[in-house]
Coordinates of all heavy atoms in Angstrom, one line a residue:
M130 N -1.9 -6.8 -21.0 CA -2.3 -6.5 -19.6 C -2.1 -7.7 -18.8 O -3.1 -8.2 -18.2 CB -3.7 -6.0 -19.6 CG -4.0 -4.7 -20.4 SD -3.1 -3.3 -19.7 CE -4.3 -2.7 -18.5
T131 N -0.9 -8.3 -18.7 CA -0.7 -9.5 -18.0 C 0.1 -9.2 -16.7 O 0.3 -10.0 -15.9 CB 0.1 -10.5 -18.8 OG1 1.3 -9.9 -19.3 CG2 -0.7 -11.1 -19.9
Q132 N 0.5 -7.9 -16.5 CA 1.3 -7.6 -15.4 C 0.5 -7.5 -14.1 O -0.5 -6.8 -14.0 CB 2.0 -6.2 -15.6 CG 3.0 -5.9 -14.6 CD 3.6 -4.5 -14.7 OE1 3.1 -3.7 -15.5 NE2 4.7 -4.2 -14.0
T133 N 0.8 -8.3 -13.2 CA 0.1 -8.3 -11.9 C 0.9 -7.6 -10.8 O 0.3 -7.0 -9.9 CB -0.2 -9.7 -11.4 OG1 1.0 -10.5 -11.4 CG2 -1.2 -10.4 -12.4
K134 N 2.2 -7.6 -10.9 CA 3.0 -6.9 -9.9 C 3.4 -5.5 -10.5 O 3.9 -5.4 -11.5 CB 4.3 -7.7 -9.7 CG 4.2 -8.8 -8.7 CD 5.6 -9.3 -8.3 CE 5.6 -10.0 -7.0 NZ 6.9 -10.3 -6.5
P135 N 3.0 -4.5 -9.7 CA 3.3 -3.2 -10.1 C 4.8 -2.8 -10.0 O 5.3 -1.9 -10.7 CB 2.5 -2.3 -9.2 CG 2.2 -3.1 -8.0 CD 2.2 -4.5 -8.5
F136 N 5.5 -3.6 -9.2 CA 6.9 -3.2 -8.9 C 7.7 -4.5 -9.0 O 7.3 -5.6 -8.5 CB 7.1 -2.6 -7.6 CG 6.2 -1.4 -7.4 CD1 5.0 -1.5 -6.6 CD2 6.5 -0.2 -8.0 CE1 4.2 -0.4 -6.4 CE2 5.6 0.9 -7.8 CZ 4.5 0.8 -7.0
D137 N 8.9 -4.4 -9.5 CA 9.9 -5.5 -9.5 C 10.9 -5.4 -8.4 O 11.2 -6.4 -7.7 CB 10.6 -5.5 -10.8 CG 10.0 -6.4 -11.8 OD1 9.1 -7.2 -11.4 OD2 10.4 -6.3 -13.0
K138 N 11.4 -4.2 -8.2 CA 12.5 -4.0 -7.3 C 12.1 -2.7 -6.4 O 11.3 -1.9 -6.9 CB 13.8 -3.7 -8.0 CG 14.2 -4.8 -8.9 CD 15.2 -5.7 -8.1 CE 15.7 -6.8 -9.0 NZ 16.5 -7.8 -8.3
C139 N 12.7 -2.6 -5.3 CA 12.5 -1.5 -4.5 C 13.1 -0.2 -5.2 O 14.3 -0.3 -5.6 CB 13.2 -1.7 -3.1 SG 13.2 -0.2 -2.1
P140 N 12.3 0.8 -5.3 CA 12.9 2.0 -6.0 C 13.9 2.8 -5.2 O 14.6 3.6 -5.7 CB 11.6 2.9 -6.2 CG 10.7 2.5 -5.2 CD 11.0 1.0 -4.9
I141 N 14.0 2.5 -3.9 CA 14.9 3.1 -3.0 C 16.3 2.5 -3.0 O 17.3 3.1 -3.2 CB 14.4 3.1 -1.5 CG1 12.9 3.6 -1.4 CG2 15.3 4.0 -0.6 CD1 12.7 5.1 -1.7
C142 N 16.3 1.1 -2.9 CA 17.6 0.4 -2.7 C 17.7 -0.7 -3.7 O 18.7 -1.4 -3.7 CB 17.7 -0.1 -1.3 SG 16.6 -1.3 -0.8
C143 N 16.7 -0.9 -4.6 CA 16.8 -2.0 -5.6 C 16.9 -3.4 -5.1 O 17.5 -4.3 -5.7 CB 18.0 -1.7 -6.6 SG 17.7 -0.2 -7.6
S144 N 16.4 -3.6 -3.9 CA 16.4 -4.9 -3.3 C 15.1 -5.7 -3.7 O 14.2 -5.1 -4.3 CB 16.5 -4.8 -1.8 OG 17.8 -4.4 -1.5
E145 N 15.1 -6.9 -3.2 CA 13.9 -7.8 -3.5 C 12.7 -7.3 -2.7 O 12.8 -6.8 -1.6 CB 14.2 -9.2 -3.1 CG 15.2 -9.9 -3.9 CD 14.6 -10.5 -5.1 OE1 13.6 -11.1 -5.0 OE2 15.3 -10.4 -6.2
L146 N 11.5 -7.5 -3.4 CA 10.3 -7.2 -2.7 C 9.5 -8.4 -2.4 O 9.6 -9.4 -3.1 CB 9.4 -6.3 -3.6 CG 10.0 -4.9 -4.0 CD1 9.2 -4.3 -5.1 CD2 10.1 -4.0 -2.8
A147 N 8.8 -8.4 -1.3 CA 7.9 -9.6 -1.0 C 6.5 -9.1 -0.7 O 6.3 -8.0 -0.1 CB 8.4 -10.2 0.3
E148 N 5.5 -9.8 -1.3 CA 4.2 -9.4 -1.0 C 3.7 -9.8 0.4 O 3.9 -10.9 0.8 CB 3.2 -10.0 -2.1 CG 1.9 -9.4 -2.0 CD 0.9 -10.1 -3.0 OE1 1.4 -10.9 -3.9 OE2 -0.3 -9.8 -2.9
K149 N 3.3 -8.8 1.1 CA 2.8 -9.1 2.5 C 1.5 -8.3 2.8 O 1.2 -7.4 2.1 CB 3.9 -8.5 3.5 CG 5.2 -9.3 3.4 CD 6.1 -8.8 4.5 CE 7.4 -9.6 4.4 NZ 8.4 -9.1 5.4
Q150 N 0.9 -8.8 3.8 CA -0.3 -8.1 4.3 C 0.2 -7.1 5.3 O 0.9 -7.5 6.3 CB -1.3 -9.0 4.9 CG -2.6 -8.3 5.1 CD -3.7 -9.3 5.6 OE1 -3.6 -10.0 6.6 NE2 -4.8 -9.3 4.8
V151 N -0.1 -5.8 5.2 CA 0.3 -4.8 6.1 C -0.9 -4.1 6.7 O -1.9 -4.1 6.1 CB 1.3 -3.8 5.4 CG1 2.5 -4.5 4.9 CG2 0.6 -3.0 4.3
V152 N -0.7 -3.5 7.8 CA -1.7 -2.7 8.4 C -1.4 -1.2 8.2 O -0.3 -0.7 8.4 CB -1.7 -2.9 10.0 CG1 -2.7 -2.0 10.6 CG2 -2.1 -4.4 10.2
K153 N -2.4 -0.6 7.6 CA -2.2 0.8 7.2 C -3.2 1.7 7.9 O -4.4 1.6 7.7 CB -2.4 0.9 5.7 CG -2.5 2.3 5.1 CD -1.1 2.9 4.9 CE -1.2 4.2 4.2 NZ 0.1 4.9 4.1
P154 N -2.8 2.6 8.8 CA -3.7 3.6 9.4 C -4.0 4.7 8.4 O -3.1 5.3 7.8 CB -2.9 4.1 10.6 CG -1.5 3.7 10.4 CD -1.4 2.8 9.2
L155 N -5.3 5.1 8.3 CA -5.7 6.1 7.4 C -6.5 7.2 8.2 O -7.5 6.9 8.9 CB -6.6 5.6 6.3 CG -5.9 4.8 5.2 CD1 -6.9 4.2 4.3 CD2 -5.0 5.7 4.4
R156 N -6.0 8.4 8.2 CA -6.7 9.4 9.0 C -7.8 10.0 8.1 O -7.7 10.2 6.9 CB -5.7 10.6 9.3 CG -4.8 10.1 10.4 CD -4.3 11.3 11.2 NE -5.4 12.0 11.8 CZ -5.3 13.0 12.7 NH1 -4.1 13.5 12.9 NH2 -6.3 13.6 13.2
S157 N -9.0 10.1 8.7 CA -10.1 10.7 8.1 C -10.8 11.6 9.1 O -11.5 11.2 10.0 CB -11.1 9.6 7.6 OG -12.2 10.2 7.1
G158 N -10.5 12.9 9.0 CA -10.9 13.8 10.0 C -10.3 13.5 11.3 O -9.1 13.4 11.4
V159 N -11.1 13.4 12.3 CA -10.6 13.1 13.7 C -10.4 11.6 13.9 O -9.9 11.2 14.9 CB -11.4 13.8 14.8 CG1 -11.4 15.3 14.7 CG2 -12.9 13.2 14.7
Y160 N -10.9 10.8 13.0 CA -10.8 9.4 13.2 C -9.6 8.8 12.4 O -9.2 9.4 11.4 CB -12.1 8.7 12.7 CG -13.3 9.2 13.4 CD1 -14.2 10.1 12.8 CD2 -13.6 8.7 14.6 CE1 -15.3 10.6 13.5 CE2 -14.8 9.1 15.3 CZ -15.6 10.1 14.7 OH -16.7 10.5 15.4
T161 N -9.2 7.7 12.9 CA -8.2 7.0 12.1 C -8.7 5.6 11.8 O -9.1 4.8 12.7 CB -6.9 6.9 12.9 OG1 -6.4 8.2 13.1 CG2 -5.8 6.1 12.1
A162 N -8.8 5.3 10.5 CA -9.3 3.9 10.1 C -8.0 3.1 9.9 O -7.1 3.5 9.3 CB -10.1 4.0 8.8
V163 N -8.1 1.9 10.4 CA -6.9 1.0 10.2 C -7.4 -0.2 9.3 O -8.3 -0.9 9.7 CB -6.4 0.4 11.6 CG1 -5.3 -0.6 11.3 CG2 -6.0 1.5 12.5
I164 N -6.8 -0.3 8.2 CA -7.2 -1.3 7.3 C -6.0 -2.2 7.0 O -4.8 -1.8 7.1 CB -7.8 -0.7 6.0 CG1 -6.7 0.1 5.2 CG2 -9.0 0.1 6.2 CD1 -7.1 0.5 3.8
K165 N -6.3 -3.4 6.6 CA -5.3 -4.4 6.2 C -5.3 -4.5 4.7 O -6.3 -4.7 4.1 CB -5.6 -5.8 6.8 CG -5.3 -5.9 8.2 CD -5.5 -7.3 8.7 CE -5.3 -7.4 10.2 NZ -5.6 -8.7 10.7
V166 N -4.1 -4.3 4.1 CA -4.0 -4.4 2.7 C -2.7 -5.2 2.3 O -1.9 -5.4 3.1 CB -3.9 -3.0 2.0 CG1 -5.2 -2.2 2.2 CG2 -2.7 -2.2 2.6
R167 N -2.7 -5.6 1.0 CA -1.6 -6.2 0.5 C -0.6 -5.2 0.0 O -1.0 -4.2 -0.7 CB -1.9 -7.2 -0.6 CG -2.7 -8.4 -0.1 CD -2.2 -9.7 -0.9 NE -2.5 -10.8 -0.1 CZ -1.7 -11.5 0.6 NH1 -0.4 -11.1 0.6 NH2 -2.0 -12.6 1.2
A168 N 0.7 -5.3 0.2 CA 1.6 -4.4 -0.3 C 2.9 -5.2 -0.6 O 3.1 -6.3 -0.1 CB 1.9 -3.3 0.8
E169 N 3.7 -4.6 -1.5 CA 5.0 -5.1 -1.8 C 5.9 -4.4 -0.7 O 6.0 -3.2 -0.7 CB 5.5 -4.7 -3.2 CG 4.6 -5.3 -4.3 CD 4.8 -6.8 -4.4 OE1 5.9 -7.3 -4.2 OE2 3.8 -7.5 -4.7
V170 N 6.6 -5.3 0.0 CA 7.5 -4.7 1.1 C 8.9 -5.1 0.8 O 9.3 -6.2 0.5 CB 7.1 -5.3 2.5 CG1 8.0 -4.7 3.6 CG2 5.6 -5.0 2.8
C171 N 9.8 -4.1 0.8 CA 11.2 -4.3 0.5 C 11.8 -5.1 1.7 O 11.6 -4.7 2.9 CB 11.9 -2.9 0.4 SG 13.7 -3.1 0.2
L172 N 12.5 -6.1 1.3 CA 13.2 -7.0 2.4 C 14.4 -6.3 3.0 O 14.8 -6.7 4.1 CB 13.6 -8.3 1.8 CG 12.5 -9.1 1.2 CD1 13.0 -10.4 0.5 CD2 11.4 -9.5 2.2
H173 N 14.9 -5.3 2.3 CA 16.1 -4.6 2.8 C 15.8 -3.4 3.7 O 16.2 -3.3 4.8 CB 17.0 -4.2 1.6 CG 18.3 -3.6 2.0 ND1 19.3 -4.3 2.7 CD2 18.7 -2.3 1.9 CE1 20.3 -3.5 2.9 NE2 19.9 -2.3 2.5
C174 N 15.0 -2.5 3.1 CA 14.8 -1.2 3.8 C 13.4 -1.0 4.4 O 13.1 -0.1 5.1 CB 15.1 0.0 2.9 SG 13.9 0.3 1.6
G175 N 12.5 -2.0 4.0 CA 11.1 -1.9 4.6 C 10.2 -1.0 3.9 O 9.1 -0.8 4.3
E176 N 10.6 -0.4 2.8 CA 9.8 0.4 2.0 C 8.5 -0.4 1.5 O 8.6 -1.5 1.1 CB 10.5 0.9 0.7 CG 9.8 1.8 -0.2 CD 9.5 3.2 0.3 OE1 10.1 3.5 1.4 OE2 8.8 4.0 -0.3
R177 N 7.4 0.3 1.7 CA 6.1 -0.3 1.2 C 5.7 0.3 -0.1 O 5.6 1.5 -0.2 CB 5.0 -0.1 2.3 CG 5.3 -0.9 3.5 CD 4.2 -0.5 4.5 NE 4.4 -1.2 5.8 CZ 3.6 -1.1 6.8 NH1 2.5 -0.4 6.7 NH2 3.8 -1.7 8.0
L178 N 5.3 -0.6 -1.0 CA 4.8 -0.1 -2.3 C 3.4 -0.7 -2.5 O 3.1 -1.8 -2.3 CB 5.7 -0.6 -3.4 CG 7.2 -0.2 -3.3 CD1 8.1 -1.0 -4.1 CD2 7.3 1.3 -3.6
Y179 N 2.5 0.3 -2.8 CA 1.1 -0.1 -2.9 C 0.7 -0.1 -4.4 O 1.2 0.8 -5.2 CB 0.2 0.8 -2.1 CG 0.5 0.8 -0.7 CD1 1.2 1.9 -0.1 CD2 0.2 -0.2 0.1 CE1 1.5 1.9 1.2 CE2 0.5 -0.2 1.5 CZ 1.1 0.9 2.0 OH 1.4 0.9 3.4
S180 N -0.2 -1.0 -4.8 CA -0.6 -1.0 -6.2 C -1.6 0.2 -6.4 O -2.1 0.8 -5.4 CB -1.4 -2.3 -6.5 OG -2.6 -2.3 -5.7
Q181 N -1.8 0.5 -7.6 CA -2.7 1.7 -7.9 C -4.1 1.4 -7.3 O -4.7 2.4 -6.9 CB -2.8 1.9 -9.4 CG -1.5 2.5 -10.0 CD -1.7 3.0 -11.4 OE1 -2.8 2.7 -12.0 NE2 -0.8 3.7 -12.0
E182 N -4.5 0.2 -7.4 CA -5.9 -0.1 -6.8 C -5.9 0.2 -5.3 O -6.9 0.7 -4.8 CB -6.2 -1.6 -7.0 CG -6.6 -1.9 -8.4 CD -6.8 -3.4 -8.6 OE1 -6.8 -4.1 -7.6 OE2 -6.8 -3.9 -9.8
T183 N -4.8 -0.2 -4.6 CA -4.8 0.0 -3.2 C -4.7 1.5 -2.9 O -5.3 2.0 -2.0 CB -3.6 -0.7 -2.6 OG1 -3.6 -2.1 -3.0 CG2 -3.5 -0.6 -1.1
V184 N -3.9 2.3 -3.7 CA -3.8 3.7 -3.4 C -5.2 4.4 -3.6 O -5.6 5.2 -2.9 CB -2.7 4.3 -4.4 CG1 -2.8 5.8 -4.3 CG2 -1.3 3.8 -4.0
K185 N -5.9 3.9 -4.6 CA -7.2 4.4 -4.9 C -8.2 4.1 -3.7 O -9.0 4.9 -3.3 CB -7.8 3.8 -6.2 CG -9.0 4.5 -6.7 CD -9.4 4.0 -8.1 CE -10.7 4.6 -8.6 NZ -11.8 4.3 -7.6
L186 N -8.0 2.9 -3.2 CA -8.8 2.5 -2.0 C -8.5 3.5 -0.8 O -9.4 3.9 -0.1 CB -8.5 1.1 -1.6 CG -9.1 0.5 -0.4 CD1 -10.6 0.3 -0.7 CD2 -8.5 -0.8 0.0
F187 N -7.2 3.8 -0.6 CA -6.9 4.7 0.4 C -7.6 6.1 0.2 O -8.1 6.7 1.2 CB -5.4 5.0 0.4 CG -4.5 3.8 0.8 CD1 -3.2 3.9 0.5 CD2 -5.1 2.8 1.5 CE1 -2.4 2.8 0.9 CE2 -4.3 1.7 1.8 CZ -2.9 1.7 1.5
E188 N -7.6 6.5 -1.0 CA -8.2 7.8 -1.3 C -9.7 7.8 -1.1 O -10.2 8.8 -0.5 CB -7.9 8.2 -2.8 CG -6.5 8.6 -3.0 CD -6.1 8.8 -4.4 OE1 -7.0 8.7 -5.3 OE2 -4.9 9.1 -4.7
D189 N -10.3 6.7 -1.4 CA -11.8 6.6 -1.2 C -12.1 6.6 0.3 O -13.0 7.3 0.7 CB -12.3 5.2 -1.8 CG -12.3 5.3 -3.3 OD1 -12.2 6.3 -3.9 OD2 -12.5 4.2 -3.9
I190 N -11.2 5.9 1.1 CA -11.5 5.9 2.5 C -11.3 7.3 3.1 O -12.0 7.7 4.0 CB -10.6 4.8 3.2 CG1 -11.1 3.4 2.8 CG2 -10.6 5.0 4.7 CD1 -10.1 2.3 3.1
R191 N -10.2 7.9 2.7 CA -9.9 9.3 3.2 C -11.0 10.3 2.9 O -11.3 11.2 3.7 CB -8.6 9.8 2.6 CG -7.4 9.2 3.2 CD -6.2 10.1 3.1 NE -4.9 9.4 3.5 CZ -4.1 8.8 2.7 NH1 -4.4 8.8 1.4 NH2 -3.0 8.3 3.1
R192 N -11.6 10.1 1.7 CA -12.7 11.0 1.3 C -14.0 10.8 2.1 O -14.8 11.8 2.2 CB -12.9 10.9 -0.2 CG -12.9 12.2 -1.0 CD -13.0 11.9 -2.4 NE -11.7 11.6 -3.1 CZ -11.5 10.6 -3.9 NH1 -12.5 9.8 -4.2 NH2 -10.4 10.5 -4.5
K193 N -14.2 9.6 2.5 CA -15.5 9.3 3.1 C -15.4 9.7 4.6 O -14.5 9.4 5.3 CB -15.7 7.8 3.1 CG -16.5 7.3 1.9 CD -16.6 5.8 1.9 CE -16.7 5.3 0.5 NZ -16.4 3.8 0.5
P194 N -16.5 10.4 5.0 CA -16.6 10.7 6.5 C -17.0 9.4 7.2 O -17.9 8.7 6.7 CB -17.7 11.7 6.6 CG -18.4 11.7 5.3 CD -17.6 11.0 4.3
L195 N -16.4 9.1 8.3 CA -16.8 7.8 9.0 C -18.0 7.9 9.8 O -18.3 9.0 10.3 CB -15.6 7.3 9.8 CG -14.3 6.9 9.0 CD1 -13.2 6.6 10.0 CD2 -14.6 5.7 8.2
Ligands
ZN406 ZN1 14.4 -1.0 -0.3

């Protein structure tokens, strides 16, 4: 269990990924929560890849009423 990066290459275009902090809007009912998370961002096509932990965080936020 030494893998820290969930992705090596962009699954869309196989380009390099860079870890960046991105702003992610999450809708929860009539509200939208905007959170900052780390994501792997494709330098070529801009695809964002989130780790499983981050995806789980999104789900937790979506489930919670604000
Ligand atoms: Zn790409």
